[in-house]
Coordinates of all heavy atoms in Angstrom, one line a residue:
A16 N -13.9 9.1 -2.9 CA -12.6 9.0 -2.2 C -12.8 9.2 -0.7 O -12.1 8.5 0.1 CB -11.7 10.1 -2.7
E17 N -13.7 10.0 -0.3 CA -14.0 10.2 1.1 C -14.6 9.0 1.8 O -14.2 8.6 2.9 CB -14.9 11.4 1.3 CG -14.2 12.7 1.0 CD -15.2 13.9 1.0 OE1 -16.4 13.6 0.7 OE2 -14.8 15.0 1.1
R18 N -15.4 8.2 1.0 CA -16.0 7.0 1.5 C -14.9 6.0 1.8 O -14.8 5.3 2.8 CB -17.0 6.4 0.5 CG -18.3 7.1 0.5 CD -19.2 6.6 -0.6 NE -20.5 7.3 -0.6 CZ -21.6 6.8 0.0 NH1 -21.5 5.6 0.6 NH2 -22.7 7.4 0.0
E19 N -14.0 5.9 0.8 CA -12.8 4.9 1.0 C -12.0 5.3 2.2 O -11.6 4.4 3.0 CB -12.0 4.9 -0.3 CG -10.8 3.9 -0.2 CD -9.9 4.0 -1.4 OE1 -10.1 4.7 -2.3 OE2 -8.9 3.2 -1.4
H20 N -11.8 6.6 2.3 CA -11.0 7.0 3.5 C -11.7 6.7 4.8 O -11.0 6.2 5.8 CB -10.8 8.5 3.4 CG -9.8 9.1 4.4 ND1 -8.5 8.7 4.4 CD2 -9.9 10.0 5.4 CE1 -7.9 9.3 5.4 NE2 -8.7 10.1 6.0
L21 N -13.0 6.9 4.9 CA -13.7 6.5 6.1 C -13.6 5.1 6.4 O -13.3 4.7 7.6 CB -15.2 6.9 5.9 CG -16.2 6.5 7.0 CD1 -15.8 7.2 8.3 CD2 -17.6 6.8 6.6
F22 N -13.8 4.2 5.4 CA -13.7 2.8 5.7 C -12.3 2.4 6.1 O -12.1 1.5 7.0 CB -14.1 2.0 4.4 CG -15.6 1.7 4.4 CD1 -16.5 2.7 4.0 CD2 -16.1 0.5 4.7 CE1 -17.8 2.5 3.9 CE2 -17.5 0.3 4.6 CZ -18.4 1.3 4.2
L23 N -11.3 3.0 5.5 CA -9.9 2.6 5.9 C -9.6 3.1 7.3 O -8.9 2.4 8.0 CB -9.0 3.2 4.8 CG -9.0 2.6 3.5 CD1 -8.3 3.4 2.4 CD2 -8.4 1.2 3.5
L24 N -10.1 4.3 7.7 CA -9.8 4.8 9.0 C -10.5 3.8 10.1 O -9.9 3.6 11.1 CB -10.4 6.2 9.2 CG -9.6 7.3 8.6 CD1 -10.4 8.6 8.7 CD2 -8.2 7.5 9.2
V25 N -11.6 3.3 9.8 CA -12.4 2.5 10.7 C -11.9 1.1 10.7 O -11.6 0.5 11.8 CB -13.9 2.6 10.5 CG1 -14.6 1.6 11.4 CG2 -14.4 4.0 10.7
Q26 N -11.7 0.5 9.5 CA -11.3 -0.9 9.4 C -9.9 -1.2 9.4 O -9.4 -2.3 9.4 CB -12.0 -1.5 8.2 CG -13.6 -1.4 8.3 CD -14.3 -2.1 7.1 OE1 -13.6 -2.3 6.1 NE2 -15.6 -2.3 7.3
G27 N -9.0 -0.1 9.3 CA -7.6 -0.4 9.3 C -7.0 -0.6 7.9 O -7.7 -0.5 6.9
R28 N -5.8 -1.1 7.9 CA -5.1 -1.3 6.6 C -5.6 -2.4 5.9 O -6.3 -3.3 6.4 CB -3.6 -1.4 6.9 CG -3.2 -2.7 7.6 CD -1.8 -2.9 7.7 NE -1.1 -1.8 8.5 CZ 0.2 -1.7 8.5 NH1 1.0 -2.4 7.8 NH2 0.7 -0.7 9.2
R29 N -5.3 -2.4 4.6 CA -5.7 -3.6 3.7 C -4.9 -4.8 4.1 O -3.8 -4.7 4.6 CB -5.6 -3.2 2.3 CG -6.5 -2.1 1.8 CD -6.3 -1.9 0.3 NE -7.3 -0.9 -0.2 CZ -7.5 -0.6 -1.4 NH1 -6.6 -1.0 -2.3 NH2 -8.4 0.3 -1.8
V30 N -5.4 -5.9 3.6 CA -4.7 -7.2 3.9 C -3.3 -7.2 3.3 O -2.3 -7.7 3.8 CB -5.5 -8.4 3.4 CG1 -4.7 -9.7 3.5 CG2 -6.8 -8.5 4.1
D31 N -3.2 -6.5 2.1 CA -1.9 -6.5 1.4 C -1.1 -5.3 1.7 O -0.2 -5.0 1.0 CB -2.1 -6.6 -0.1 CG -3.0 -5.4 -0.6 OD1 -3.5 -4.7 0.2 OD2 -3.1 -5.2 -1.9
A32 N -1.4 -4.6 2.8 CA -0.6 -3.5 3.2 C 0.8 -3.8 3.6 O 1.0 -4.9 4.1 CB -1.3 -2.8 4.4
P33 N 1.8 -3.0 3.2 CA 3.2 -3.3 3.6 C 3.4 -3.3 5.1 O 2.8 -2.6 5.8 CB 4.0 -2.2 2.9 CG 3.0 -1.1 2.8 CD 1.6 -1.7 2.6
R34 N 4.3 -4.2 5.5 CA 4.6 -4.3 6.9 C 5.7 -3.5 7.4 O 6.0 -3.4 8.6 CB 4.8 -5.8 7.3 CG 3.7 -6.7 6.9 CD 2.4 -6.3 7.6 NE 1.3 -7.2 7.2 CZ 0.0 -6.9 7.5 NH1 -0.3 -5.7 8.0 NH2 -0.9 -7.8 7.1
G35 N 6.5 -2.9 6.4 CA 7.6 -2.1 6.8 C 8.1 -1.3 5.6 O 7.4 -1.2 4.6
P36 N 9.2 -0.6 5.8 CA 9.7 0.2 4.7 C 10.1 -0.6 3.5 O 10.4 -1.8 3.6 CB 10.9 1.0 5.3 CG 11.3 0.1 6.4 CD 10.1 -0.6 6.9
A37 N 10.1 0.0 2.3 CA 10.4 -0.6 1.1 C 11.9 -1.1 1.2 O 12.7 -0.5 1.9 CB 10.2 0.3 -0.1
A38 N 12.2 -2.1 0.4 CA 13.6 -2.6 0.4 C 14.5 -1.5 -0.1 O 14.2 -0.8 -1.0 CB 13.6 -3.8 -0.5
A39 N 15.7 -1.5 0.5 CA 16.7 -0.5 0.2 C 17.2 -0.7 -1.2 O 17.5 0.3 -1.9 CB 17.8 -0.5 1.2
V40 N 17.2 -1.9 -1.7 CA 17.7 -2.2 -3.0 C 16.5 -2.4 -4.0 O 15.7 -3.2 -3.8 CB 18.6 -3.5 -3.0 CG1 19.0 -3.9 -4.5 CG2 19.7 -3.4 -2.1
V41 N 16.5 -1.5 -5.0 CA 15.4 -1.6 -6.0 C 15.6 -2.7 -7.0 O 16.7 -2.8 -7.5 CB 15.3 -0.2 -6.7 CG1 14.2 -0.2 -7.7 CG2 15.0 0.9 -5.6
D42 N 14.6 -3.5 -7.3 CA 14.7 -4.5 -8.2 C 15.2 -4.0 -9.6 O 14.7 -3.0 -10.1 CB 13.3 -5.2 -8.4 CG 13.4 -6.5 -9.1 OD1 14.0 -6.5 -10.2 OD2 12.8 -7.5 -8.7
P43 N 16.2 -4.6 -10.2 CA 16.7 -4.2 -11.5 C 15.6 -4.0 -12.6 O 15.7 -3.2 -13.4 CB 17.7 -5.2 -11.9 CG 18.2 -5.8 -10.6 CD 17.0 -5.8 -9.7
R44 N 14.6 -4.8 -12.5 CA 13.5 -4.7 -13.5 C 12.8 -3.4 -13.5 O 12.4 -2.9 -14.5 CB 12.5 -5.9 -13.4 CG 11.7 -5.9 -12.1 CD 11.0 -7.3 -11.9 NE 10.4 -7.4 -10.6 CZ 9.1 -7.3 -10.4 NH1 8.3 -7.1 -11.4 NH2 8.6 -7.4 -9.2
F45 N 12.7 -2.8 -12.2 CA 12.1 -1.5 -12.1 C 13.0 -0.4 -12.7 O 12.5 0.5 -13.4 CB 11.8 -1.2 -10.6 CG 10.9 -2.1 -10.0 CD1 11.0 -2.4 -8.6 CD2 9.9 -2.8 -10.7 CE1 10.2 -3.3 -8.0 CE2 9.0 -3.7 -10.1 CZ 9.2 -3.9 -8.7
R46 N 14.3 -0.6 -12.5 CA 15.2 0.4 -13.2 C 15.1 0.3 -14.7 O 15.2 1.4 -15.4 CB 16.6 0.2 -12.7 CG 16.8 0.4 -11.2 CD 18.2 0.5 -10.8 NE 18.4 0.7 -9.3 CZ 18.3 1.8 -8.7 NH1 18.1 2.9 -9.4 NH2 18.4 1.9 -7.4
R47 N 15.0 -0.9 -15.2 CA 14.9 -1.0 -16.7 C 13.6 -0.4 -17.2 O 13.6 0.2 -18.2 CB 14.9 -2.5 -17.0 CG 16.3 -3.2 -16.9 CD 16.4 -4.5 -17.7 NE 15.5 -5.5 -17.1 CZ 15.8 -6.3 -16.1 NH1 17.1 -6.3 -15.6 NH2 15.0 -7.2 -15.7

């Protein structure tokens, strides 16, 4: 876990990292 944290601190966020806050409306499939 510490190795992963070191790489993330140095290399930054992953390519698929979110660009902003989650959508205010939750997809109905998640509620189901």
Side-chain angles (χ1 to χ4, degrees):
E17 290 169 336
R18 283 172 179 266
E19 180 182 1
H20 189 61
L21 173 63
F22 273 78
L23 289 166
L24 282 175
V25 173
Q26 296 182 348
R28 66 174 63 193
R29 293 181 174 184
V30 175
D31 60 350
R34 301 305 180 192
V40 179
V41 177
D42 192 310
R44 64 192 171 106
F45 298 148
R46 296 192 183 277
R47 286 196 296 271

